[in-house]
Structures are given as structure tokens and as C-alpha cells.
Amino acid sequence: MYPTSFSSLRCGIMKPAFPYSLLKAFGDTPNVPAFEYGSRVIKRGDILDLVARYTGGLRASQVDLGPGDSIAIYTGVTPDAFAVQIAAHVLGLRVIGVKPGITTAQLLAIVGDAKLLIVDETTRSEIESLPPITLEVVELEILLGDASTIATQGRLEDTALVLFTSGTTGEPKGVECTYAALTASWAWQRSAWDADTELMAARYGRFILFGTLASTVMFEHLGLCLTSGGTAIIPTTPLPLLKFPHVLSDLHISAALFTVPRLYHVLELLKSDASSFDLSHLRSIVVSGSPLPAQKLRAAIETLGDVVFNGYGMSETGLVCLLSAAHIKEQPSAINAVGRPFTGVQIQIRNDSGDALPLNETGHVWVRTLGAFRGYTNEESTSVLDPGGWIWTRDLGSLGNLGFLYLTGRARDIVIINANVYYIGAIEHALSSHPDVDAAYVVSIPDDNTGEAAAAFITVKKYRPYLDDLRALVREKVSPAAVPSVITVIDSVPVAPSGKPDKQALIGLIPRVK
């Protein structure tokens, strides 16, 4: 039974800031399942009860918390973890989401300005192994208090949520989203949906929720599921042990998020043993995180049908474009696009001077959406965010006559490995730090296992270094995932007409490597 204190929300006297619309939807349909967690079915009314109790627990905390104050949440994916985050938003707090597996240094930097760190049984042991931290640490179950009135206190101008990038360039960037942005976000505001969004939402009856809530893409698609009346299905198996497509079959999943490598893995399994899996419930697989080659997208649609969607977006913007099988049937050349702008998204192509370009001309991709971020916590954002709210994606592309966005390259030198961004400059710097390396050049190449991989080319001073030593440098200075899959010693680097290293010519050398 949902708390009677929530009934005032039905009268419309509360502030309409996030998570108002979600709470109202839950209050209107308290008996609809919100989550399945193993054998537990948690109804929407049950979630409201949890939100009310966590709201009471936060209010009764020894730490004085008020609108605008920061707390950090470092937990696994559970209904309670979701409920405590919503309770924090009810109080208008600034919630810092912490991803699992973060390094000690990164964690200490991320939670630096928080007044409270919320953990669960798993993450508590990780916290205990860290050097002493000054902020209050409390476990989820201890934070449950007496039910408190659910009266949304978020101020639209305040930061509601800070989600950090992976930190693959050394320090994670905190992407700040305001209460105004979350309130307007299509994922949590059904009144903002168009017909295409409604059709997509109808596929989210049973959405598999895994990994972390501290992910822009996962949190956004969870919003689509819950706002549409669907149920989020949380596997009890830890992510490293979670098997695909087995879990989709076993839990009758209708919607899922895939990285490109996960899609490749599933396609390989289905190629050899499709009859072992019942995927008849599946309605949507959104593939995102790194570029999906046209031939692989075509193979996925041929194998799985029209359930496959290619998603394009970023932490700063959320979902920008979605490409469906229906789009490709309508316009076969769209197989090379990343889709049409999604609900509420505007796209503009600009030249180097910032002037808008006409259709079919290539330039810098800029995006504007009501749910976009307002800046970084620990880095300037003026270079990517203009006064009009437009965000520079740092990708290059063009808009076609039918509204499809075609990406042609990147204005930033990166490689996306397992959906994580690694700056090529950082890898080149690590390789160049070896005393026998004269210069290092790194390019991004397709990879069936990781989506993309780094390929390195080096010129040497006098002696040829051991390649394992170079791999160790990248592993230590950047990340194990960023270690180049190929390292080639070259006499000199090809030079483009501009006088810069011709990296396209370098890519052409890769097949010659033994």
C-alpha cells in the first residue's frame, strides 16, 4: 500500500520537478510491477513505500541535508538502490552516481564534495579497504527510516544528477544534469513523447536492467521502461557472470541494451546454436557505445529481425539518434547512418567557423535537447556547450534529405573500446615514453570483440624495443583495455598534403603485419 502522504501529489499541489511525473504514475498504478529481482516482484506501490522510508531516513540522518546538497551513491543494481536515489531527488539533493569497479583515486576524487556516501553490502567492503575518508558512510538497509511525506523539493536550477565518464583519459569527467533537464527529459516525461517514442516504449514491457544505475544510457532507458508502464528485470547473477543470450531467453526479456562486442558475441552463438534460445519475447535491442559497421548491422537484422536498433548518443546529451530496420527498408542507404533525431532532439551541422551548413554537407555535429547536461564538474565546458544550449559532439557528419545523420569521422582523436572512450594522444604518449621509441602514432580500427581497437605504429631511435615492454607502458599509464592490438615498427610515417601524419595511410599497412 503506497503511503497516504503521497496522495497530495494527485491534487497537483507539489512542485512538478523531477521525479514528480514518475511518482504520480506510480501512485496512479500502485499494483503494476515496477521491478522483478530474482523471485521478488516489487510493485510500484512498494517502490513508493521504499521512497517514503528512504526519504525519512535521509531526513533523520546525522548529516544535515537540504536542497542542493551533494550525496554519493555507490551500490549495485537493486530496487532499493533505485528507491534511495529517487528519495534523494525528492529532497532536491545533488546525487553523484558512482560506477562499480572504480579505482581508489577516482572514487576519492568523485565523492570529494559529498556529505554522505551510500553503499550496500558489496560496496561497503570496498570502502573499508580504502584510506579513511571524511564523509559519512551509511549502508542502504540502515538508511531505511519511518515513512516521510513525498513532497518534491528539487529546484529546477540545481544539479540533480552527476554521472561520471569512465575515466579512461586519467580522470573521470562529471556530467552535470539539472532538475530542469531531468524534468523535461523525454525518458521521464511521457507528455513529451511523439508517436515514434510510444511505439518504442511498447517494446519495453520487460527491460533487462544490469551493470549500474550510474550510466546515462542505462538510466535513460530505465526511464523509458518505467514511464511506459513496463517492468525492469534485474538478474541476480553478477554482470561478469551474466550470459547472453541465455538470460534474455530465461527471463523472457523484451528489451535490452547491447554494446557492439556483446552483439557480436550473441550473433556468433546464434549462428551455431540458435535453437537453444527462445527469443520470441524480444522486441528491442538497442546497440550503442561504439560505431556499428553497416555489414554487422545488416547481419544482426537478418539474424534477429526488426528488433535491432542502432543508437547514437553521448553522456552529455543522452540518446540523439535511433536507426531502425524500418528506416533501412524505407531508405536502403540509411544502413550507413546512425538514424534520425530522437524525441525532442535538434541537430545542426556547422563549419569550422560555427556557421550552419545546408543538407548533405559535412561538418561538426551539434545537438540540442531539453534533457542535455549543463557542464562538467571538473573540466571547462565552454568549448563544447554554446550559450544557446547546443552541444558539440566532437563528431563529423552530415544530415541527408530525409533527416538521417551520417557520421564521417571525429574531430577528437579517440578510440572507443568496449564502449569506453580512450584518447589516442594518451596512448601515443605512453608508447613514446619508452627510451627507444622516437615517435608513436595510434589509429582506431574495427574489432569484432571490442567494437574498436587501437593499432600503433612506432619509429625507433637506435634499438628496437620489446613490444611487450610497450604494451606494459600502455597498460600502466592508460588502461589494460587500451593496449594496442597491433604494434608495427615503421621506418617513417607517411605524411598527408597538410604536412601532418597520414593516419589513413598507416591503416593501409596493417594487413602486412605478421
Side-chain angles (χ1 to χ4, degrees), residues 6 18 75 143 165 187 201 208 224 246 266 291 335 402 445 456 459 507:
F6 181 75
F18 179 83
T75 65
L143 195 58
T165 60
I208 184 169
L224 177 61
H246 311 70
V266 168
I335 190 76
L402 297 179
I445 59 173
T459 57
I507 293 175

Side-chain angles (χ1 to χ4, degrees), residues 106 165-173 379 414 421-424 426 477-478:
Q106 290 172 345
T165 60
S166 58
T168 50
T169 60
E171 183 180 2
K173 286 189 298 187
E379 187 174 307
I414 60 171
V421 173
Y422 296 87
Y423 279 81
I424 280 174
K477 294 177 178 290
V478 185

Side-chain angles (χ1 to χ4, degrees), residues 99 161-165 175 177 186-188 212-223 257 313-319 371:
K99 293 180 179 179
L161 187 59
V162 183
L163 298 180
F164 281 80
T165 60
V175 177
C177 188
W186 66 269
W188 304 96
T212 176
L213 291 173
S215 157
T216 300
V217 63
M218 190 61 76
F219 194 63
E220 192 171 58
H221 284 263
L222 173 61
L257 294 175
M314 53 194 297
S315 297
E316 293 86 341
T317 62
L319 182 62

Side-chain angles (χ1 to χ4, degrees), residues 34 48 60 76 93 267 270 272 275 277 335 360 366 371 423 426 435 466 469 478 488 491 495 505:
L48 291 179
L93 302 180
L267 292 179
L270 293 179
S272 59
S275 62
F277 307 104
I335 190 76
N360 301 309
W366 288 76
Y423 279 81
Y466 289 108
D469 291 344
V478 185
T488 309
D491 294 330
V495 177

Side-chain angles (χ1 to χ4, degrees), residues 489-509:
V489 178
I490 56 178
D491 294 330
S492 62
V493 65
V495 177
S498 64
K500 296 180 180 180
D502 188 346
K503 290 193 172 183
Q504 285 300 314
L506 286 175
I507 293 175
L509 300 177

Side-chain angles (χ1 to χ4, degrees), residues 131-186:
I133 54 180
T134 56
L135 75 166
E136 181 79 13
V137 179
V138 61
E139 283 194 34
L140 262 176
E141 60 181 30
I142 297 174
L143 195 58
L144 277 170
D146 296 330
S148 180
T149 302
I150 304 178
T152 54
Q153 299 176 42
R155 300 177 300 210
L156 295 179
E157 68 275 12
D158 283 350
T159 297
L161 187 59
V162 183
L163 298 180
F164 281 80
T165 60
S166 58
T168 50
T169 60
E171 183 180 2
K173 286 189 298 187
V175 177
E176 298 218 10
C177 188
T178 63
Y179 275 95
L182 276 182
T183 301
S185 169
W186 66 269

